[in-house]
Every structure is written in structure tokens, then in C-alpha cells.
Amino acid sequence: MARGEEPLLSGRPSSDHSDERNVEEEDALLTGQKQQQPRRYTWAFWREVGLLAWAVLATVLVIILAILYQHQQQTSNPKPSGGGWKNGRPTGKRNLIFMVSDGMGPTSLSLTRTFRQTVTGLPIDDVLVLDEHLIGSSRTRSTTSLITDSAAGATAFSCGQKSYNGAISVLPNGDPCGTVLEAAKRAGYKTGLVVTTRITDATPACFAAHVNQRGEEDEIAVQEVGEHPLGRVLDLVLGGGRCHFLPNTTDGSCRKDDRDIIHLAKKNGFNYVSDRKGFDGLNFGTGVKLPLLGLFADTDIPYEVDRRNMDDVYPSLDEMARTALTALQEATEDSDKGFFLMIEGSRIDHAGHGNDPVAQVHEVLAYDKAFASVLEFLDRDDVEGVLVGTSDHETGGLATAR
């Protein structure tokens, strides 16, 4: 063979395993079966095994440390009030604030966020306080409809059971169901309701009254001031709806009878305020003597977009919320029990019913402001507190499009 015509692989060096491979090939040719040879693991293989084992071990260690840290946070360093954990359950003095954005859906938030960014020149990544605390969404329906109303929605919130549209804390068979506010009161907690609609409207009514239909607002008013199977269950009431508390012989009344519910409230120990001057006298809660009934409008407190241009005739949701928080905080200062307070951004719903986007965004902004005030209160308060915020349903089919 001429030089330069060597076989293609003739110059290929033999590997360390060439002889072993030749023996394997010969055995295979003679027997017709490939001989299994013991596998030899290289350093690279064992290195990969070691790294994998270390990764698994490190992951398990991180998980264990996270669990121990969470347990330590839950069982130690309680606030001065004595709140803590025992056997996996909270102990000690606690406050619960339950907030309802009535009739507010995801598009309400989107529209309000965009409105605020546009009119104030904020960047597009600026968000509402509510956005920062969004956990998820919930499915709401009643026993009679795929779309709940505020009555059935609030019955579910207050009683933990579904009922028919229009039900005020009664079950489908008409039996009353105990509410979280009533349970709190019986356990020794102070209780309160703050709304911008009539205090006899569906959502507040479901926490402190029991009637078959939400339209029975005259009866709801009677129960809210103490003519109730459990006696007086409310310590603080701030909102509108004065007309349902006045006898039908009085100007401004919308009652069907001549009962004076304000007189009944006073008889049951309530202090009563009815105007801006009276509200200002409460000094944002430091001048409150419980029980307190504050009715600041004949029916609903005006939409926020109108209220703020009415020379402060009516208190805002934020003002009423802060007043209630301080009043209940001071009232429970020397008690081993806290308080339960329901705060409702009531008229988001009404703006939805009226297909009024201007009113809608200002109502959501007012609710967002009150939500922020509650968070600030919880941050500075010594007592352990829990804030739960939710909506009962969307209203009006609000949609935004290009």
C-alpha cells in the first residue's frame, strides 16, 4: 500500500478499554449473546451523584428551617395584649375588622386604578392599596339564583350559610341563623357597623337582624337598637337611614307606623348624633360614649363625588371608620376581649346599578382610603387584629374597552 493510502483509522490510538472491548466482541460472535460486563463508574458519575444528594439535602434543610421559623413566629413574640398560639389555635385578646366592598368586581378595581393613574399623573405600575392585598377571588351565589344579591351575600358572610335572595340572616326555611357579630357580642366583645347607605340596608342588617325580606327595614331598625331576641347586640352604629327611625308623624320619616325608634334607642342606652356637628363632637372616637347611634342622612349618604363638594355636611367612610376603630379600641382597653367591626363601602353597588362610572371610581377610591386607614390602625395597635376584606358580587356588568 502506498504511503498516504493507509486505512482511515489506522492511526487511531487504542483506548484503555480496547482489549476488553475486543474480548467482548469475540465472545459475542462465538456465543451469539452479548456478555454483560460489570459497569465501572467514573469520577464524573460519582460527582453528579454527590451534587444531586447535596441538592436534595439542602432543599429538605431549607424546608425544615422555614417550618421552624413560621412556628416560632406564631408561638412567640406576641403583642403586649397577650395574643399568641396554643395547640395550633390563636389565644388572647383579638380584634376582627370585616370590610365589604358591596357590588365591586375586578373591573371596578381596574377602572379605578387607571382613572387614578391618569388624573394624577402616576406611573402605570402604581396600584391601589387594595391591589397590594389581593389574595384571590370567590364564587358567590344564593340558593335561588346564580347571581346573589346583597342580602343573601351578607347572610353567607355573617352566618356562614347560603340562603335565598332577599334573606336577612334567615335560612331557606325561614329559621334565623346566628351571626358572627351576635356571637362576638355574646362572647363579651364590643361590636359595630359602619356604612354609607341606610344602616337598615341589606349588608349591615344581616349582621344584627333577622327578617324574611330585605325590604322590612322598619323592623330591621327596631332590632338594631335592641328590640332583638338576644337584646342589644350593637355598641356602635354609624351610617344613614334616619327616616326608618322616625315616626310617620314626623317630617323626613319613611316608616309605615308611628313608632319612634330613636326614642327606643335612647331608652336602650344609646347616645344619638345626627349631623356633622354631632359627629365632630366625637373627636374621631376619643369623645365617644358607647353605645352610640349615629344617623347622618335621611336615606343614603351621598356619593363620595358629591359628598366632598357639600361643605362637609356628611362624614366620609374613612372618617367614620377611623372614629369607630378608636372608639372601640378605647372601650376595650381594659378588657380581655376585643371588638368586631363591619365596615362597608356601600355605594359602589349603587353606582353599578346606575351605570355611573364617575360615581363608581370615587366610591372605590373612598373604600380604598378607608381600607388603608384600617391597615394603619392594625399596625400601630398593641392588640392582635385581623382584617378580612371581600365583595359580595359585581353590579351593573361594568366593562372597560378600548
Side-chain angles (χ1 to χ4, degrees):
M1 183 180 292
R3 183 176 179 82
E5 296 182 4
E6 293 89 350
L8 181 62
L9 300 179
S10 64
R12 180 170 177 246
S14 296
S15 70
D16 295 339
H17 305 292
S18 295
D19 293 339
E20 295 176 6
R21 192 160 52 243
N22 292 336
V23 172
E24 290 176 7
E25 291 174 355
E26 290 176 1
D27 289 344
L29 288 171
L30 292 171
T31 62
Q33 295 181 349
K34 186 174 182 179
Q35 300 299 310
Q36 297 295 327
Q37 298 294 325
R39 185 175 180 181
R40 289 178 172 80
Y41 297 103
T42 64
W43 162 249
F45 171 80
W46 289 113
R47 180 174 177 272
E48 291 178 3
V49 171
L51 289 174
L52 177 61
W54 170 249
V56 172
L57 181 62
T59 302
V60 172
L61 182 61
V62 168
I63 292 173
I64 292 173
L65 289 174
I67 293 173
L68 291 174
Y69 175 77
Q70 183 180 29
H71 178 73
Q72 190 270 342
Q73 290 295 104
Q74 292 177 342
T75 58
S76 65
N77 298 322
K79 286 192 174 184
S81 65
W85 291 78
K86 183 178 181 181
N87 298 325
R89 299 176 64 87
T91 62
K93 182 177 179 180
R94 291 177 183 272
N95 299 322
L96 173 61
I97 300 101
F98 186 74
M99 297 188 70
V100 180
S101 46
D102 196 302
M104 187 182 79
T107 314
S108 303
L109 282 172
S110 180
L111 178 63
T112 303
R113 185 187 313 112
T114 303
F115 170 83
R116 178 170 171 269
Q117 291 167 353
T118 302
V119 300
T120 57
L122 295 170
I124 60 173
D125 58 352
D126 185 88
V127 296
L128 302 170
V129 176
L130 290 167
D131 292 319
E132 298 172 352
H133 296 83
L134 177 64
I135 302 299
S137 60
S138 63
R139 183 185 69 177
T140 59
R141 59 164 295 172
S142 69
T143 60
T144 56
S145 175
L146 291 173
I147 302 174
T148 187
D149 75 336
S150 293
T155 295
F157 292 154
S158 64
C159 291
Q161 300 190 62
K162 290 188 179 295
S163 194
Y164 57 89
N165 281 4
I168 300 296
S169 289
V170 294
L171 301 177
N173 64 1
D175 290 342
C177 53
T179 74
V180 62
L181 183 145
E182 292 167 344
K185 183 62 177 177
R186 288 176 65 84
Y189 287 68
K190 295 296 183 183
T191 61
L193 299 174
V194 173
V195 301
T196 51
T197 53
R198 307 171 309 284
I199 199 65
T200 52
D201 201 12
T203 300
C206 282
F207 287 85
H210 305 270
V211 296
N212 291 326
Q213 289 294 333
R214 61 183 294 175
E216 300 176 53
E217 294 189 50
D218 289 355
E219 173 60 22
I220 291 168
V222 171
Q223 293 188 34
E224 287 180 335
V225 299
E227 199 167 284
H228 184 284
L230 300 178
R232 180 177 61 80
V233 297
L234 284 167
D235 295 295
L236 181 145
V237 182
L238 299 176
R242 186 168 50 235
C243 71
H244 287 287
F245 292 77
L246 298 173
N248 61 5
T249 56
T250 305
D251 290 341
S253 172
C254 57
R255 287 190 67 84
K256 296 178 181 178
D257 58 33
D258 61 356
R259 295 196 67 183
D260 187 341
I261 309 306
I262 292 175
H263 175 74
L264 176 62
K266 292 178 178 178
K267 182 179 177 182
N268 289 336
F270 277 95
N271 296 286
Y272 174 62
V273 291
S274 61
D275 54 22
R276 184 74 206 205
K277 182 178 180 181
F279 179 81
D280 290 343
L282 303 176
N283 197 27
F284 281 102
T286 60
V288 171
K289 183 179 179 181
L290 299 180
L292 173 68
L293 174 65
L295 303 173
F296 305 110
D298 288 337
T299 55
D300 303 320
I301 292 176
Y303 284 127
E304 177 64 17
V305 68
D306 301 318
R307 185 206 66 81
R308 64 183 188 175
N309 295 313
M310 300 175 73
D311 297 324
D312 274 346
V313 172
Y314 305 95
S316 68
L317 177 65
D318 180 60
E319 290 175 310
M320 291 190 291
R322 286 190 287 147
T323 297
L325 289 167
T326 300
L328 293 171
Q329 177 192 44
E330 293 194 354
T332 57
E333 185 174 6
D334 297 325
S335 171
D336 62 349
K337 304 293 185 181
F339 62 80
F340 172 86
L341 175 64
M342 194 284 291
I343 303 171
E344 182 191 32
S346 317
R347 303 212 65 193
I348 302 171
D349 174 79
H350 292 184
H353 280 295
N355 299 131
D356 187 339
V358 175
Q360 174 96 168
V361 297
H362 285 90
E363 289 302 309
V364 175
L365 286 172
Y367 179 77
D368 190 65
K369 183 177 181 180
F371 192 90
S373 291
V374 173
L375 291 173
E376 291 171 4
F377 170 85
L378 291 173
D379 284 342
R380 68 173 182 268
D381 191 22
D382 288 337
V383 178
E384 292 282 354
V386 176
L387 167 60
V388 177
T390 188
S391 294
D392 47 5
H393 54 80
E394 191 275 339
T395 304
L398 177 66
T400 57
R402 184 175 179 180

